[in-house]
Amino acid sequence: MLLVAVVAVRLASRSGLPTLLIYLGIGVAIGQDGLFGFTFDDVELTQVLGYAALVVILAEGGLGTKWHEIKPVMPIAAVLSTVGVIVSVFITAGAAHYVVGLDWRQSLIIGAVVSSTDAAAVFSVLRHVPLPKRVTGVLEAESGFNDAPVVIMVVAFSATGPIDSWYYLLGEILLELAIGAAIGLAVGWIGAYGLKHVALPASGLYPIAVMAIAVAAYAAGAMAHGSGFLAVYIASLILGNAKLPHRPATRGFAEGLGWIAQIGLFVLLGLLVTPHELGDDVVPALIIGLFLTVLARPAEVVISLLPFRIPWREQALMSWAGLRGAVPIVLATIPMVAGVGDSRRIFNIVFVLVIFYTVVQGPTLPWLARRLRLSGTSDAADLGIESAPLERLQGHLLSMAIPEGSRMHGVEVNELRLPTGSAVTLIVRDGASFVPLPSTTLRRGDELLVVATDPVRDAAEDRLRAVGRGGKLAGWLGQRDRQRQV
């Protein structure tokens, strides 16, 4: 199944579809109505494993998100994830109640469930679509933040007894978000500080430690009655933007775990659904999804962005790019576990809605970006610098490769102007290694080894990244390393 899923990524990348559709299809194919007739109906296990997978997916997304890209749009993402979610919930719930005829509890649950954009879907699609950085930053940050308030609302609407008053629910959301944010900041900062100052005996332990810290942030947030999802995303964001040892290896490890989590989660959700039961819920799902896509999501974006004066073209693109995925389907298991009446129908409606509108929105997103003239242009390629601590020598060994598009191509070694205490010690070019001279010209594809003492390690890495973006005149022309700017 893993091999089939890995091969399927190729098909998904060419079609522009989020990979979740293929993984869900695999689950349906081996499920009750599929080729193998495997019966799976353990909703509680699905919810537990779904939460675990979402923790890993959020951790991977946070580790891969660049702080300098989302920092300017954090207020926008925060408003979209709170005020915007509330707007979307009530508009969608109103459509489910007045148009489809569901009762208010079911309508509110569906409205809350589908109001969360999915981190896995957003990360998998947007990182392959050249959009403006502000749009990409808003959508990525929003998908990382809005899980928290949505989970709180779904749990509250699914609880037995009367639904809490709106001001009590709002206060609970704000409190849990504040606790989760505080814990995420604390765990992320302490974890990054510890990994920077403690040399582990094997490089393979660093990725494990980073992921363990991210999971610990979720656990601490949940135990403190805060938002564990927000805690894990913020902690991972801090860890991903800290200059940790073996950072590229950590990023690759987290990406691999993220793929496993996505594959396992989507296949599991595909197993849980019973296709022959979906017939009566297709039309209600399409109607609710239509109101969500053409009314609730645009209203959410327009109302949330009123204070920020975002151009209408970017608002239109953000409205269409509110991708749904595994998160709504996982959240649809909450009312099933809570014993809400007709909860199986809620799950079926959410499942059909997510599948249909993902098929519609995912592939058309690049086309819409071109029509709105918002297709982004690629900047100079950033350098992936891996740092290995040399504890006994009180130094660091930095390894990097010069990618296509890097402005370090054509720069001489002496023009790097590395700080005193650091030097390029070895270059690997076309499979051959040699010790460079000050006049050696660097080329695309070169692999460099740079030795730096502890005091200048950060400055050396900053300088390498600045030259990679701005060329030999980076410092003189005001090109500063973006890591320094944050």
Side-chain angles (χ1 to χ4, degrees):
M1 207 165 0
L2 283 174
L3 289 175
V4 171
V6 169
V7 173
V9 175
R10 182 68 175 173
L11 175 62
S13 63
R14 288 183 173 182
S15 65
L17 291 172
T19 51
L20 70 93
L21 293 178
I22 297 185
Y23 301 153
L24 284 170
I26 293 174
V28 172
I30 65 177
Q32 182 175 348
D33 292 350
L35 300 176
F36 299 98
F38 183 78
T39 301
F40 177 80
D41 57 2
D42 194 331
V43 180
E44 292 186 15
L45 178 61
T46 302
Q47 184 178 340
V48 171
L49 294 179
Y51 274 35
L54 291 178
V55 169
V56 175
I57 292 170
L58 283 172
E60 189 271 330
L63 291 171
T65 299
K66 297 179 181 179
W67 173 243
H68 69 264
E69 291 184 359
I70 71 167
K71 180 184 178 182
V73 299
M74 285 289 284
I76 301 175
V79 175
L80 269 175
S81 302
T82 51
V83 176
V85 162
I86 294 173
V87 171
S88 177
V89 168
F90 285 101
I91 292 178
T92 307
H97 179 70
Y98 291 110
V99 180
V100 177
L102 300 179
D103 64 46
W104 270 116
R105 183 179 292 273
Q106 294 174 342
S107 300
L108 287 170
I109 291 174
I110 291 178
V113 164
V114 299
S115 292
S116 174
T117 55
D118 181 67
V122 171
F123 294 149
S124 64
V125 172
L126 293 186
R127 290 179 183 176
H128 300 287
V129 178
L131 299 180
K133 288 185 176 180
R134 177 164 62 182
V135 175
T136 301
V138 169
L139 294 172
E140 288 193 359
E142 179 198 9
S143 67
F145 292 158
N146 64 12
D147 291 346
V150 166
V151 169
I152 297 169
M153 284 191 284
V154 174
V155 171
F157 295 151
S158 302
T160 57
I163 298 175
D164 295 328
S165 57
W166 68 269
Y167 53 86
Y168 179 85
L169 185 58
L170 179 60
E172 183 179 4
I173 291 174
L174 295 177
L175 178 61
E176 291 197 18
L177 292 179
I179 294 173
I183 290 178
L185 288 169
V187 173
W189 186 87
I190 294 172
Y193 181 85
L195 290 176
K196 282 182 179 180
H197 293 84
V198 176
L200 299 177
S203 61
L205 293 175
Y206 284 93
I208 297 174
V210 168
M211 291 303 297
I213 292 169
V215 174
Y218 173 82
M223 291 176 65
H225 301 287
S227 172
F229 290 118
L230 183 60
V232 69
Y233 184 75
I234 291 179
S236 302
L237 185 63
I238 294 173
L239 291 167
N241 288 272
K243 296 173 182 177
L244 301 179
H246 304 289
R247 184 165 54 182
T250 299
R251 181 72 187 88
F253 178 79
E255 188 174 2
L257 285 183
W259 278 113
I260 291 177
Q262 289 185 49
I263 293 170
L265 173 58
F266 297 147
V267 171
L268 188 66
L269 294 173
L271 279 173
L272 187 63
V273 72
T274 307
H276 72 262
E277 296 179 353
L278 299 178
D280 294 337
D281 299 318
V282 171
V283 173
L286 297 182
I287 293 174
I288 295 173
L290 182 64
F291 275 90
L292 171 67
T293 305
V294 303
L295 181 60
R297 175 64 182 181
E300 167 189 356
V301 171
V302 171
I303 293 173
S304 299
L305 301 188
L306 279 176
F308 302 103
R309 298 183 180 179
I310 303 297
W312 72 266
R313 292 185 300 164
E314 294 186 17
Q315 293 189 38
L317 191 59
M318 291 180 194
S319 299
W320 191 248
L323 303 178
R324 271 70 190 174
V327 172
I329 303 176
V330 172
L331 296 183
T333 64
I334 294 177
M336 297 174 71
V337 174
V340 174
D342 219 2
S343 56
R344 171 58 75 168
R345 189 186 185 196
I346 294 175
F347 180 86
N348 291 341
I349 289 175
V350 171
F351 188 89
V352 174
L353 186 156
V354 167
I355 297 301
F356 181 82
Y357 286 95
T358 299
V359 171
V360 172
Q361 290 177 274
T364 58
L365 189 57
W367 173 84
L368 180 61
R370 290 192 297 271
R371 294 285 295 179
L372 294 173
R373 290 183 240 172
L374 290 175
S375 293
T377 56
S378 58
D379 293 334
D382 202 359
L383 297 176
I385 302 177
E386 182 165 354
S387 173
L390 306 172
E391 187 175 24
R392 296 179 60 185
L393 301 179
Q394 297 183 347
H396 286 262
L397 181 64
L398 309 179
S399 60
M400 50 167 281
I402 302 177
E404 291 290 333
S406 172
R407 293 196 176 102
M408 192 176 286
H409 174 77
V411 176
E412 296 183 2
V413 170
N414 66 321
E415 292 173 331
L416 292 175
R417 294 188 287 118
L418 295 176
T420 303
S422 60
V424 179
T425 58
L426 192 72
I427 294 178
V428 179
R429 178 179 296 168
D430 298 328
S433 59
F434 61 93
V435 176
L437 298 173
S439 59
T440 299
T441 301
L442 303 176
R443 300 178 185 173
R444 298 184 187 92
D446 284 355
E447 297 180 43
L448 278 62
L449 291 181
V450 179
V451 174
T453 58
D454 279 343
V456 301
R457 177 249 181 168
D458 288 348
E461 186 172 338
D462 285 348
R463 178 59 190 166
L464 290 169
R465 292 187 184 279
V467 175
R469 295 188 181 99
K472 67 181 72 175
L473 301 180
W476 294 335
L477 295 180
Q479 171 73 25
R480 299 173 56 200
D481 180 69
R482 295 178 183 175
Q483 298 290 341
R484 281 296 185 190
Q485 294 179 355
V486 299

